[in-house]
Amino acid sequence: MLALIEPTPDLHAAWLASRDEWGRGVHQPGSGLRGDDDVDSAEGFAAWLERLRREGDESRPPLPGLVHAAYWWVVDQDGAVLGSISLRYALNDFLLLAAGHIGYGVRPSARGRGVAGWALGEVLAAARRRDLESVLITCDVDNTASARVIEKQGGVLEDVRDTPAGPRRRYWITL
């Protein structure tokens, strides 16, 4: 049984276990984690979660260079954090070129079990509730597993192009 939950300080230890499996300093798509975030201390972790909440608060302007977004964790029945997924409410120039509306990542030990496909389906439903007509999702050109996940959810390949994030497959899903 999987659940999509808002990030919470209650799962600090579980999130750190997931982060450590990825590796410290490794980019985790969909997590909102940046290189300068201090997530090891309780105070730093709480500050990171507050930043994620602020990024979704449409009553405030987005931080410079960013757009409003929602973040969720994928957790199992035991409270293990299996991955992260985000929905960006709009696209700026960089997102249109390289990253899209939705970003997601699954910890290595949970890959190949349908976690990404399940989470993407849930977030596509959230995008529909926001009245988005279509969403752009990208993946690394050599990430065939992610390409399959996107295609199974209705993604139509627009193109493959070089971007500031490297070569990317760019898919659109009509909602």
Side-chain angles (χ1 to χ4, degrees):
M1 173 76 79
L2 299 175
L4 208 59
I5 66 165
E6 292 185 13
T8 173
D10 296 340
L11 293 179
H12 186 197
W15 188 89
L16 287 175
S18 178
R19 186 272 321 259
D20 290 346
E21 189 175 308
W22 281 86
R24 289 175 183 257
V26 174
H27 175 64
Q28 295 180 41
S31 70
L33 184 64
R34 299 192 188 124
D36 60 348
D37 287 323
D38 165 26
V39 293
D40 290 304
S41 72
E43 298 80 18
F45 193 75
W48 173 55
L49 297 185
E50 179 56 33
R51 180 176 55 77
L52 295 182
R53 276 189 284 284
R54 184 194 183 291
E55 287 184 21
D57 183 355
E58 294 177 283
S59 70
R60 302 169 70 177
L63 296 171
L66 299 178
V67 299
H68 288 107
Y71 296 89
W72 297 274
W73 292 343
V74 183
V75 298
D76 67 12
Q77 66 276 4
D78 298 321
V81 177
L82 304 181
S84 301
I85 190 164
S86 61
L87 172 63
R88 300 172 193 101
Y89 303 156
L91 298 176
N92 59 24
D93 290 341
F94 173 78
L95 295 172
L96 180 61
L97 180 63
H101 289 94
I102 297 173
Y104 59 86
V106 175
R107 71 191 285 176
S109 65
R111 293 177 186 162
R113 299 184 354 212
V115 173
W118 177 85
L120 180 54
E122 294 294 305
V123 172
L124 289 172
R128 283 184 197 95
R129 289 190 296 274
R130 291 194 61 81
D131 293 323
L132 294 176
E133 294 179 12
S134 61
V135 293
L136 174 67
I137 308 175
T138 73
C139 65
D140 291 342
V141 71
D142 60 350
N143 189 341
T144 57
S146 190
R148 282 192 306 273
V149 165
I150 297 165
E151 291 166 359
K152 284 181 181 177
Q153 291 289 341
V156 175
L157 181 66
E158 178 182 47
D159 61 18
V160 176
R161 63 174 79 167
D162 289 324
T163 76
R168 308 287 286 182
R169 294 174 185 253
R170 299 174 68 254
Y171 292 89
W172 287 93
I173 297 178
T174 303
L175 302 175

